[in-house]
Amino acid sequence: MDFSVSIKKAKEMIKESVACYLQRDEEGNLLFPVKEQMPLELVGPPGVGKTEIVEQTANELGIGFVSVSLAHHVRQTALGLPEIVEIPFEGGKCKATRYTMSEILAPVYQARETGQREGILLVDEFNTASDSLMPAMLGFLQFKALGAHKLPEGWILVLCGNPRRYNRHAREFTAAIRDRIRRIVIEPDLEAFLEYGMEQGIHPDIVAFLKMHPDCFYRCENQGDRDVIVTPRDWSNLSRTLAAYEKQGFAVTREMTVQFVKDEHITVEFINHYRTYSRIIDSGDIERILAGEGIKELARKYSLADFDVKWAVQGILMRNIVYHSGCLKAEELSLSGRGEAVEAVNRQIEFALQFMEAAYGKGVLLEVTLNYLSRNNACWKVLALCRNPAYVRLSGELLLLGEKRI
């Protein structure tokens, strides 16, 4: 039985393994000889971010990254194509067959030519290899070579694939192959995605929706005459599209959303949620709160609202603060460069927290808000630079409340 991990944990395991494989002794020799470096195999549903975390790992370690898909290869392209050459033989010449560079390894050698002496080679769809290709892949796993060419020292082999229930072309590996790989099984993880979303700026409406409807985060199943597919990749792509539509002033419709969220029920739920946000934005209440105008009056108004409206107000406030924080330049987020732009964002945070406390009290919505502010990189820089008094006070009070509950 395979134990599953979250995408965040899988990334940690990859990073640790690659760092160990690249470790060298005082004489510059790898502590793990190439033949002893067991490739990592990431197995998980489509769209959970397997390829992305491998590329992120390479970037964070400052090494190269090459990705190839085995679904695009046959035996000839994987091992190299034959060519006829002349070779010396007993004082004369004769013709012999020589193989060209493997098209799987060629991009790695090209990367080395640009100075990337270490890196990760990601072979995607590894478990879809044809029967004719599997013997070569077994040798690749064991000897890190395809045909006459080897995977260069300093480059680590990582494999990716989907389980058979998501890809009917996928195969179960033989014992000989499984004995030569380190399998990491990944399952969709909403908490990890939301944490990533807070750090990377996933559209706040999506973050708020998924917190309210966690069962809508991932679907990948066949429902009779249609496939239902909703993945973290879809939510990320929808996030970028929403931001672009809003900037252009285009209407966000069900027909557009279902192109990403390929489930009619979830699409309708999200559009209703998004329209609730739009009505609140059109009311002008958000601008008043962020400007510190009529906070007590608006707090009374929204304290009586349904929870989905309260949640929407919180999400819109965060969206505006995150946007303005993200517009700050690096030099403005320093003690020497701190100016009016930073102070303006700091005041927005102050007013938003005053409203949240007055309208919702020291409950879950305020806790979520403080957590969101601390996890978003741009907001956290403003908080740290200005030592926002409302944030400092409320964080301390909620911490004390939590200790008392314990």
Side-chain angles (χ1 to χ4, degrees):
M1 178 180 177
D2 293 314
F3 292 97
S4 61
V5 299
S6 70
I7 195 75
K8 180 180 179 181
K9 182 61 177 177
K11 180 180 176 182
E12 292 176 4
M13 296 169 72
I14 296 166
K15 194 170 186 178
E16 292 168 356
S17 298
V18 172
C20 288
Y21 284 165
L22 294 178
Q23 192 175 3
R24 297 177 183 269
D25 60 21
E26 295 80 2
E27 298 178 356
N29 300 313
L30 290 171
L31 295 183
F32 278 87
V34 174
K35 288 185 179 180
E36 296 180 13
Q37 294 176 2
M38 293 179 66
L40 297 167
E41 183 202 17
L42 308 184
V43 180
V48 296
K50 299 185 293 294
T51 301
E52 288 79 1
I53 62 171
V54 179
E55 184 172 8
Q56 290 168 16
T57 296
N59 292 336
E60 291 170 12
L61 292 175
I63 60 177
F65 175 75
V66 170
S67 176
V68 298
S69 174
L70 208 58
H72 301 156
H73 290 280
V74 294
R75 186 177 184 277
Q76 289 79 7
T77 58
L79 294 177
L81 297 173
E83 60 178 353
I84 305 300
V85 297
E86 287 189 344
I87 62 173
F89 181 73
E90 295 183 352
K93 292 184 179 180
C94 70
K95 293 183 178 181
T97 301
R98 187 174 64 184
Y99 287 86
T100 60
M101 170 73 74
S102 162
E103 292 184 20
I104 292 174
L105 294 180
V108 175
Y109 280 83
Q110 290 173 341
R112 281 171 58 84
E113 289 299 313
T114 65
Q116 297 175 334
R117 311 302 291 180
E118 296 180 334
I120 299 174
L121 169 61
L122 176 68
V123 180
D124 205 356
E125 306 290 349
F126 187 83
N127 58 350
T128 63
S130 64
D131 290 337
S132 63
L133 195 53
M134 285 313 296
M137 290 299 103
L138 178 59
F140 188 34
L141 297 179
Q142 186 171 4
F143 302 110
K144 312 301 185 299
L146 287 170
H149 301 93
K150 294 183 177 181
L151 180 68
E153 182 179 282
W155 279 77
I156 310 303
L157 179 60
V158 177
L159 317 173
C160 269
N162 301 320
R164 291 192 66 180
R165 66 180 182 274
Y166 298 110
N167 185 348
R168 60 178 174 270
H169 300 294
R171 64 165 70 224
E172 291 295 334
F173 289 144
T174 64
I177 290 182
R178 293 203 62 176
D179 189 47
R180 289 173 170 82
I181 57 177
R182 297 167 54 185
R183 172 171 285 202
I184 300 175
V185 179
I186 302 171
E187 292 294 341
D189 185 276
L190 177 57
E191 288 303 315
F193 179 79
L194 292 178
E195 182 177 342
Y196 167 83
M198 292 176 185
E199 293 173 355
Q200 301 299 321
I202 293 292
H203 199 289
D205 291 3
I206 292 177
V207 172
F209 175 75
L210 292 177
K211 284 182 176 179
M212 289 184 67
H213 304 277
D215 57 317
C216 295
F217 172 57
Y218 192 91
R219 299 274 178 87
C220 190
E221 57 194 45
N222 180 270
Q223 295 183 354
D225 59 342
R226 63 194 179 97
D227 290 327
V228 172
I229 304 173
V230 183
T231 70
R233 180 191 296 138
D234 294 328
W235 290 116
S236 295
N237 290 336
L238 177 60
S239 172
R240 286 188 285 271
T241 305
L242 284 177
Y245 266 55
E246 290 169 353
K247 189 172 183 178
Q248 294 287 344
F250 298 154
V252 175
T253 64
R254 179 182 63 83
E255 291 76 12
M256 182 277 284
T257 305
V258 81
Q259 297 169 25
F260 301 92
V261 182
K262 303 167 189 73
D263 181 293
E264 189 69 25
H265 172 72
I266 295 178
T267 295
V268 171
E269 289 278 348
F270 178 76
I271 285 296
N272 290 338
H273 169 91
Y274 185 83
R275 286 172 179 166
T276 298
Y277 272 56
S278 299
R279 286 194 297 271
I280 295 169
I281 292 171
D282 293 341
S283 72
D285 290 346
I286 300 300
E287 287 81 357
R288 293 180 64 196
I289 293 170
L290 293 176
E293 300 173 358
I295 287 181
K296 290 184 179 179
E297 170 195 344
L298 292 170
R300 284 194 296 269
K301 172 183 175 181
Y302 285 105
S303 67
L304 303 174
D306 293 336
F307 184 79
D308 60 338
V309 175
K310 292 180 179 179
W311 191 264
V313 171
Q314 186 269 352
I316 301 167
L317 287 171
M318 291 303 99
R319 177 170 67 186
N320 280 268
I321 291 170
V322 166
Y323 172 77
H324 290 113
S325 300
C327 290
L328 296 172
K329 299 177 181 178
E331 56 268 24
E332 293 176 313
L333 292 168
S334 64
L335 286 173
S336 58
R338 174 180 167 184
E340 177 54 30
V342 174
E343 294 296 343
V345 175
N346 189 48
R347 285 194 296 272
Q348 288 185 343
I349 295 174
E350 178 89 13
F351 294 141
L353 292 176
Q354 288 177 11
F355 165 81
M356 295 285 293
E357 182 182 17
Y360 309 148
K362 296 184 179 71
V364 63
L365 284 174
L366 186 57
E367 290 183 25
V368 168
T369 301
L370 295 172
N371 186 44
Y372 192 103
L373 290 170
S374 68
R375 288 181 179 273
N376 182 271
N377 291 331
C379 292
W380 176 245
K381 289 177 182 178
V382 174
L383 292 170
L385 189 63
C386 300
R387 291 193 58 80
N388 185 282
Y391 178 84
V392 172
R393 176 180 62 82
L394 290 169
S395 296
E397 290 177 2
L398 286 174
L399 180 62
L400 288 175
L401 283 173
E403 290 175 349
K404 288 180 180 178
R405 293 191 193 110
I406 294 172

